[in-house]
Amino acid sequence: MKRRHLLSAAAWCSTALLPWQALAQEAPSWPTKPVRMLVGSAPGGGTDAMARAVADRLAPLLKQPVIVENRPGVSNTLAVDITAKSTDGHTMVMGVVTAHAIAPHLLKLGYDNNKDLIPVAFVGSVPNVLVVGNSVAANSVAELVAMAKKHPHQINFASSGTGSTQHIAAEVFKDAAGVDITHVPYKGSAAALVDLVSGQVQMSFDTMPSVIGQIKAGKLRPLAVTSPQRNAQLPQVPTTAEAGLSGVEISAWYGIYMPASTPKAVVQKVHDEVNKVIAMPETKTRLEAVGAELRPMAQADFASFHMAEYQRFGDIIRKNNIKLD
């Protein structure tokens, strides 16, 4: 009798383990259908550029199409919300500092930024660039500050949306320079740049991929970059610190996030394949041409970086009393 019970229990355990064994076997063969890579901004912006550069090279490695899907809105968090709640096992998001380190301090989100998502693969970062339109007479940060002090509330700055790095950088700039300038939020960088070039707004702290083409075409004038060092694409442009403004250091960073329910084997596979993509000479050339600095990280290091940036921007937001309009 005891032997029969033992055999029965063993058979039950073997049967109960089958789904988990199947999952373990299936994970390495992932993906089994096209993969969605969501982007929280409109086509033409920095996040979109990073996503497409990765997706184009990632698809052949995964042996499935990687479809970039733009879902702009709510400070880049709409795409993150969809990803966090997805259950198809084939959805990821090109995360950006706006959504993962800034918005959680400003918005009531429908997901937990630090629990419902996994930081999978860090891609790189780009500085924000203080640019002005050609209708603005200032040729340096000092001249722009003097103009803003002489004409308070009359200089408008564009951003890709409330709570974006463009918005945060300009708010920190206002505090550091002691000026009053007016925020004009747009739904993405592309729309903001149209009005900046045409003179409807006067300045912006947009990301390098969004503005480098307009700068090279002579339609926008760069006054400073917000990174600690000068950028190789604009070596003649000073950093904000060199221009006399301390503490105005804001960079947009990008990385792949997936739902927290994603199997570890899939997370590891995506991490490894994305790192292969950013190591490819074609990818490096494509992204470095728009001012990106590619920095591969171990998955655990990206998770630590995510939390450090979340805390850093929380401190900036509280110190400068930044709130949504």
Side-chain angles (χ1 to χ4, degrees):
M1 179 69 71
K2 185 175 181 180
R3 177 179 174 81
R4 283 201 301 271
H5 281 308
L6 289 172
L7 289 172
S8 177
W12 181 89
C13 289
S14 177
T15 303
L17 286 172
L18 283 176
W20 297 101
Q21 291 169 341
L23 180 61
Q25 291 169 356
E26 289 174 6
S29 65
W30 181 96
T32 58
K33 62 181 182 179
V35 176
R36 288 196 304 167
M37 182 182 291
L38 299 184
V39 174
S41 60
T47 313
D48 184 69
M50 299 292 277
R52 293 181 189 279
V54 172
D56 287 351
R57 299 291 176 182
L58 184 61
L61 295 180
L62 296 181
K63 297 181 175 60
Q64 286 284 354
V66 178
I67 302 166
V68 175
E69 187 176 317
N70 297 84
R71 292 295 188 94
V74 202
S75 297
N76 290 96
T77 63
L78 177 58
V80 182
D81 186 277
I82 295 169
T83 302
K85 296 173 181 176
S86 67
T87 59
D88 63 6
H90 288 71
T91 298
M92 60 180 68
V93 63
M94 178 57 77
V96 62
V97 60
T98 306
H100 299 285
I102 298 173
H105 300 288
L106 299 172
L107 298 170
K108 184 177 180 180
L109 302 173
Y111 58 91
D112 189 317
N113 177 65
N114 299 326
K115 293 181 180 179
D116 295 339
L117 295 139
I118 297 176
V120 176
F122 188 80
V123 176
S125 62
V126 296
N128 289 66
V129 187
L130 170 53
V131 290
V132 295
N134 289 332
S135 62
V136 178
N139 290 300
S140 67
V141 171
E143 290 179 5
L144 180 64
V145 170
M147 184 183 299
K149 288 183 176 180
K150 186 176 180 180
H151 304 285
H153 306 294
Q154 293 184 30
I155 293 180
N156 299 322
F157 71 90
S159 82
S160 64
T162 301
S164 62
T165 55
Q166 297 96 312
H167 179 203
I168 298 296
E171 294 289 350
V172 175
F173 168 80
K174 285 169 60 176
D175 181 61
V179 296
D180 289 317
I181 53 179
T182 303
H183 181 209
V184 182
Y186 290 80
K187 291 184 178 181
S189 291
L193 291 176
V194 169
D195 280 4
L196 183 60
V197 170
S198 68
Q200 300 299 310
V201 290
Q202 288 72 50
M203 59 177 284
S204 177
F205 277 88
D206 214 323
T207 56
M208 183 76 79
S210 298
V211 298
I212 190 66
Q214 304 285 7
I215 291 171
K216 290 183 175 180
K219 295 180 179 180
L220 294 176
R221 190 163 60 256
L223 302 185
V225 293
T226 59
S227 50
Q229 297 85 30
R230 295 193 182 197
N231 189 272
Q233 290 297 314
L234 299 172
Q236 77 284 7
V237 177
T239 66
T240 46
E242 290 174 332
L245 294 176
S246 61
V248 189
E249 291 185 1
I250 305 290
S251 292
W253 51 259
Y254 307 88
I256 300 295
Y257 286 75
M258 297 182 76
S261 59
T262 306
K264 288 183 179 180
V266 173
V267 170
Q268 189 63 50
K269 183 171 185 176
V270 174
H271 171 271
D272 293 345
E273 301 300 345
V274 170
N275 275 301
K276 288 178 185 176
V277 169
I278 63 177
M280 292 177 180
E282 315 92 276
T283 307
K284 294 182 70 174
T285 299
R286 181 173 173 178
L287 291 178
E288 288 175 356
V290 293
E293 299 174 358
L294 304 183
R295 289 192 292 156
M297 290 185 189
Q299 195 261 327
D301 292 337
F302 182 25
S304 298
F305 175 83
H306 162 96
M307 288 305 302
E309 285 289 274
Y310 171 80
Q311 293 166 1
R312 181 173 80 93
F313 276 95
D315 291 341
I316 290 174
I317 288 166
R318 287 186 289 271
K319 177 183 177 182
N320 292 278
N321 195 31
I322 297 171
K323 292 181 172 61
L324 298 183
D325 297 332

